[in-house]
Amino acid sequence: MALALVRLIPTDTNVPFIKARLAAFFVSVALILGSVTAFFTLGLNFGIDFRGGTAIEVQTEGPADLGALRTVLEGLDLGDVQVQGFGADNEALVRVGQVSAERANEIEGYSVENDAEAQQAVRQYVSDTLEREFPGIVFQKIESLSPQVSGELVVAGATSIGVALFLMLVYIWFRFEWQYSVGAVLALIHDVIATIGFFAVTQLEFNLSTIAAILTIVGYSMNDTVIVYDRIREDFRKFKTRPTTEVLNGAINSTLSRTILTSGTTLVAIVAMAVIGGPALEGFALALIWGVGVGTYSSIFVAAPLLTLTGVKRTSDDDDEGHAVAP
């Protein structure tokens, strides 16, 4: 089956990708400007991880029915609620978003004066409801995540993305040349901004899983870019008099079959995750689906064409010194 699929993808394509670099440039600029505009006008729909709330670890008598837990908690109308498997098959993690004092006072039997008391009321309300609906349930741990801690998580998440981009820059600089590193990192920044814009437009929940998805996208896109760059460097050594644009276009086309197969098989797994993974994995899976698409696009239409602007050398330092070059 895999062999038949490989045969369906031509290995001698000659698609003029580099000729389309100007159109791709305008598409990328529009995508980045649109993403930045959406971020500042619509904002991100931060999840419990970044807004604060209550986390409760529970243990049920039998296998935890996550769907039933989710249905009961959503019926309480407390806003953002998350339920996911945790540890053994009879354990679950329940998270409820920050609830205002005004909303807590609407709960029958509760009267609070501030947000701190509101969170205590919500913890008690959720616990009482779960004990009533799921006899024998055990509360292993109950804790609150304050907005201050959540703010620190936002900073930590942004820092992790920045560090990842910087380390990629250093890696490509040493692996190839600084001209390649500029193109690769600009392509990665393009992917990160586009992904954040995707979450701003769709208003999907932005949480720690999303940060993990973005870091995964960075790694995936970088891997795709390195494959193309490796072929470009080989072709520069092989075709010393061929125009740069022809070398770049040839390298992209020669790796196109690999790119299509890798992206296609990756998407099959991610789409399956999005379809059967439920609400807990929805945001993560959708971010990866978007990231695979935009990462593949940037490797072809951003990273490689940028080499025409950075003045990449056609030969390595070893070539200049007359040393042998590996084929």
Side-chain angles (χ1 to χ4, degrees), residues 183-194:
V185 171
L186 287 178
L188 291 179
I189 293 174
H190 167 280
D191 297 344
V192 171
I193 293 176

Side-chain angles (χ1 to χ4, degrees), residues 62-85:
D65 189 338
L66 303 183
L69 284 167
R70 190 176 294 109
T71 299
V72 168
L73 293 173
E74 288 177 349
L76 300 181
D77 193 25
L78 294 175
D80 190 10
V81 173
Q82 295 179 359
V83 179
Q84 62 189 74

Side-chain angles (χ1 to χ4, degrees), residues 151-286:
E152 293 174 356
L153 289 177
V154 174
V155 174
T159 302
S160 66
I161 295 174
V163 170
L165 292 175
F166 174 74
L167 292 178
M168 293 295 184
L169 170 68
V170 174
Y171 166 73
I172 294 296
W173 196 323
F174 281 95
R175 178 72 173 77
F176 298 95
E177 301 168 9
W178 72 264
Q179 293 93 337
Y180 289 93
S181 65
V182 170
V185 171
L186 287 178
L188 291 179
I189 293 174
H190 167 280
D191 297 344
V192 171
I193 293 176
T195 302
I196 292 175
F198 170 75
F199 274 86
V201 171
T202 60
Q203 286 297 292
L204 289 169
E205 183 177 296
F206 193 93
N207 50 35
L208 289 178
S209 295
T210 309
I211 297 295
I214 291 177
L215 292 174
T216 303
I217 291 167
V218 167
Y220 181 90
S221 180
M222 175 57 69
N223 178 69
D224 213 18
T225 299
V226 166
I227 296 296
V228 176
Y229 277 0
D230 250 333
R231 186 57 58 86
I232 289 173
R233 185 169 61 174
E234 289 176 7
D235 286 355
F236 270 148
R237 294 169 173 174
K238 188 184 301 182
F239 308 108
K240 297 183 181 298
T241 60
R242 182 176 293 182
T244 298
T245 55
E246 290 187 17
V247 172
L248 298 181
N249 203 69
I252 295 173
N253 276 278
S254 63
T255 58
L256 188 60
S257 176
R258 177 263 176 202
T259 298
I260 293 174
L261 286 172
T262 303
S263 299
T265 52
T266 303
L267 284 174
V268 169
I270 301 173
V271 169
M273 183 192 303
V275 172
I276 66 177
L281 293 176
E282 181 184 34
F284 180 76
L286 291 177

